[in-house]
Amino acid sequence: MDATLLFSAWQRFLLVLPSYPLFSAVVCLLTIVSLAQRYLSSPWRRLPPGPRGYPLLGSALALRHKQRFLARCMAFGDVVYVNVAGQSTLIINSPRAAADLLDRHAAISSSRLRYIVAHELISGSHFMVMEGHTDRYFALCILHWRRMRRAMHEGFRPVAAVNYHVMEEEEAARLALALAGDAQASTPGAYVRHYAHYASSLLLAITYGRPLRDTDADRATAATLDGIIWHLERTMAPGSHLVEFFPWLLAIPARFAKWKREALEGHKRITRFYDGLIDDVKRRMAIGEAPPCLVRSLVEEKQHLGMSVDETAWTAGTAYTVGSETQAGTLEWITLVLAAHPTVQRRAQAALDAVVGHARAPRVRDRAQLPYITAVVREALRWRPPVPLGVPHVSDEDVWYEGMFIPKGTAYIVNMQACNADPDLYGMDAARFNPDRYLDEKGQLKPSPPDTKDEGHISYGFGRRSCVGKHVANDSLFVATATLLWAFDLSTVGPFDLDTYVDKGVTTVPKPFSCKFVSRFTEATAILTGELEAQ
Ligand code: HEM
């Protein structure tokens, strides 16, 4: 029967209904019962609890004040459902729920939100952090992501990370010398700049085997890389482009859409720049002057990894993009907690004096004998996770969790600060900075609490998307912290604030505070200079 016939039959049926009141009543009743049944059995009635937002916008406006909004959400429980302008979002407040949903369900909770301009157009779907995990848009997504993740894993796994120890030690020594030589170092602007320079140089060394030196060319390279980060972050900010809300706009040809033209031109420009950095590594490899670094391993393992030229270029660029800001920000938090806790410093320095002494600078290999310093770094990462909301994962399937319905496509946002302060895992003093929580009565590292992997915290994320650079981050943060404590006494000057932070979009840093770096012994700078010259 075609649609016209069906429609006219339905019209005739409605017209005759008034002539049969009893029959009509039964039809109405059955319709109401059927609708009620559908409503009552709908899984959407079993969404996790959460704040009611405004029509259409949901809680999008409340999210502008993230810290306040997250605190409000805590009252709803471990998992909180929020509608953010139509995007189903689950805020996860407990490490157990985070591990259940993101580690134990990793196969269906490892996708990402869609970023059309930043990811699909500017990176050409090569910005691995934002790459979907499944074939949501294109069947090739998962292959892309797997190749790039595997390549980065090979370059940064523990056995490969050992190759970077010398660079990490060298950059930590250069940082200490820069602070010692800067009469203005105590001002927040000055030492934060030194930290940013340290992180850029370290990531350039690890990625391209070429640390940042005081040359115009290096300064230009760092400025361009930082400009790319700024550009990507700005493009990913909510509301930056209408196409993120109306994906059909993507079909408009580039010649009629300025935003699309600019994004595609940006892709060409950035890829050309990344290619240039790779060519430079290849050139140095050919003359035997490229130290072990991520790009060298990508080039040497080209066949085995099966990466395209663009994938190689963007994988390396992504490592710098993701690693430099997190590294610098974490060091700012470590500086704050050390300066604010002189007793922690004295204990760490006593351990350093006993193990390292005053005749050489600390090395990564000293770590096994310096558990207290490892505990300081872990505790800083637990106490103030540098990426406090992680990077949202997205569910690929409907999920039932403890009787609650989580629809497919939901974005999972983990409130890391809340999870890392879970009293069941860390006790009632979880809000306090206390490295001792990681040590046993003999001063050795204890096994990590359940669901915190081997880190003792969840600040490196979850499941298949957990931070691929965490071994490099742990090694370099250890040796940078040890070198700063070996060389200086740190103390705050004037007011400082342990409770609030500055939100930089993805990462957070402490509110600006002044910190004095006072040399602990006169030979420290001569030892650092001598070791650098000897390399
Ligand atoms: C203290 C420093 C760092 C912190 C706190 C940190 C934290 C994180 C977090 C929370 C994620 C998201 C995990 C998830 O989605 O569940 C992540 C992902 C990532 N991190 Fe890190 N990170 C740090 C340093 C680094 C460094 C130094 C590198 C590179 C050398 C790096 C490379 C990456 C990459 C490539 C991803 C994306 C993984 C993926 O999407 O598959 N990170 N990191």
Side-chain angles (χ1 to χ4, degrees), residues 102 112 128-131 145 149 152 156 203 206-207 318-320 322-324 326-327 330 381 385-387 389-393 416 458-470 472-474 476-477:
L102 302 180
R112 295 291 198 206
M128 189 259 251
V129 189
M130 290 305 156
E131 182 71 328
W145 174 78
R149 170 106 193 170
M152 237 193 253
F156 293 147
L203 266 296
I206 287 170
T207 310
T318 302
Y320 178 92
V322 183
S324 55
T326 44
Q327 199 70 12
T330 309
L381 284 164
V387 189
L389 299 184
V391 181
H393 290 219
M416 299 219 179
I458 55 151
S459 305
Y460 287 127
F462 302 92
R464 297 183 181 181
R465 303 309 292 242
S466 68
C467 177
V468 78
K470 69 177 183 177
V472 170
N474 282 339
S476 51
L477 288 171

Side-chain angles (χ1 to χ4, degrees), residues 26-333:
V26 172
V27 168
C28 282
L29 195 68
L30 285 176
T31 312
I32 289 168
V33 168
S34 145
L35 287 175
Q37 212 174 20
R38 284 188 70 175
Y39 171 72
L40 289 174
S41 60
S42 162
W44 289 84
R45 292 187 63 245
R46 311 294 287 275
L47 290 173
R52 274 168 180 263
Y54 295 106
L56 293 177
L57 285 177
S59 299
L61 296 179
L63 259 172
R64 282 178 310 170
H65 308 287
K66 269 190 234 162
Q67 217 173 346
R68 209 180 319 148
F69 181 70
L70 290 173
R72 215 178 112 211
C73 283
M74 297 273 296
F76 290 94
D78 284 358
V79 290
V80 181
Y81 184 84
V82 180
N83 166 5
V84 183
Q87 168 64 53
S88 292
T89 304
L90 195 76
I91 310 239
I92 303 177
N93 289 323
S94 88
R96 186 183 55 84
D100 282 344
L101 290 165
L102 302 180
D103 286 330
R104 291 187 263 281
H105 279 83
I108 54 163
S109 62
S110 298
S111 240
R112 295 291 198 206
L113 287 169
R114 191 172 181 192
Y115 287 97
I116 295 176
V117 178
H119 177 56
E120 293 174 26
L121 296 179
I122 296 184
S123 87
S125 294
H126 290 111
F127 189 38
M128 189 259 251
V129 189
M130 290 305 156
E131 182 71 328
H133 169 262
T134 60
D135 55 353
R136 255 177 326 150
Y137 319 118
F138 310 111
L140 291 178
C141 268
I142 188 163
L143 297 176
H144 261 318
W145 174 78
R146 269 200 196 142
R147 267 198 302 272
M148 292 188 282
R149 170 106 193 170
R150 185 163 146 230
M152 237 193 253
H153 171 75
E154 301 234 336
F156 293 147
R157 70 204 155 120
V159 282
V162 174
N163 290 326
Y164 312 132
H165 288 178
V166 177
M167 298 165 178
E168 289 154 0
E169 290 158 2
E170 183 177 337
E171 293 310 314
R174 286 187 190 280
L175 171 64
L177 283 174
L179 290 167
D182 182 353
Q184 303 298 318
S186 65
T187 61
Y191 72 82
V192 166
R193 241 190 335 273
H194 289 302
Y195 286 6
H197 184 278
Y198 151 81
S200 284
S201 189
L202 178 68
L203 266 296
L204 273 170
I206 287 170
T207 310
Y208 299 103
R210 189 183 130 173
L212 205 50
R213 294 295 167 251
D214 209 12
T215 66
D216 286 346
D218 281 5
R219 270 192 294 274
T221 302
T224 309
L225 285 165
D226 292 341
I228 295 171
I229 299 179
W230 180 82
H231 184 48
L232 287 173
E233 280 183 354
R234 202 181 51 131
T235 316
M236 281 159 62
S240 70
H241 288 92
L242 268 184
V243 67
E244 310 291 353
F245 297 107
F246 306 109
W248 51 266
L249 289 174
L250 190 55
I252 301 179
R255 65 176 182 282
F256 301 123
K258 188 162 171 254
W259 56 269
K260 191 171 179 181
R261 246 179 359 258
E262 284 176 355
L264 293 172
E265 279 158 15
H267 171 70
K268 279 195 210 140
R269 207 176 44 247
I270 296 173
T271 308
R272 225 177 9 249
F273 174 72
Y274 284 162
D275 282 343
L277 295 177
I278 304 264
D279 288 344
D280 180 51
V281 180
K282 285 184 183 159
R283 184 185 56 74
R284 283 180 286 132
M285 281 172 72
I287 52 173
E289 282 184 7
C293 59
L294 177 68
V295 171
R296 194 175 120 176
S297 76
L298 297 182
V299 173
E300 284 170 348
E301 299 293 320
K302 191 167 176 276
Q303 297 291 349
H304 158 69
L305 295 169
M307 305 256 287
S308 70
V309 175
D310 279 7
E311 281 172 347
T312 308
W314 277 85
T315 300
T318 302
Y320 178 92
T321 304
V322 183
S324 55
E325 196 172 304
T326 44
Q327 199 70 12
T330 309
L331 215 47
E332 282 186 54
W333 283 115

Side-chain angles (χ1 to χ4, degrees), residues 8-24:
S8 66
W10 173 243
Q11 268 184 328
R12 263 180 278 133
F13 174 70
L14 289 180
L15 286 175
V16 296
L17 272 186
S19 324
Y20 302 93
L22 185 63
F23 178 67
S24 312

Side-chain angles (χ1 to χ4, degrees), residues 377-433:
V377 174
R378 279 191 185 178
E379 179 66 346
L381 284 164
R382 179 198 73 85
W383 182 75
R384 287 291 177 267
V387 189
L389 299 184
V391 181
H393 290 219
V394 170
S395 63
D396 292 315
E397 289 177 16
D398 290 345
V399 174
W400 283 94
Y401 180 65
E402 300 195 335
M404 293 173 283
F405 175 65
I406 302 167
K408 175 179 171 174
T410 295
Y412 293 113
I413 294 185
V414 180
N415 182 347
M416 299 219 179
Q417 180 88 47
C419 293
N420 277 343
D422 186 276
D424 291 343
L425 292 192
Y426 300 105
M428 294 317 288
D429 76 335
R432 204 162 65 87
F433 178 80

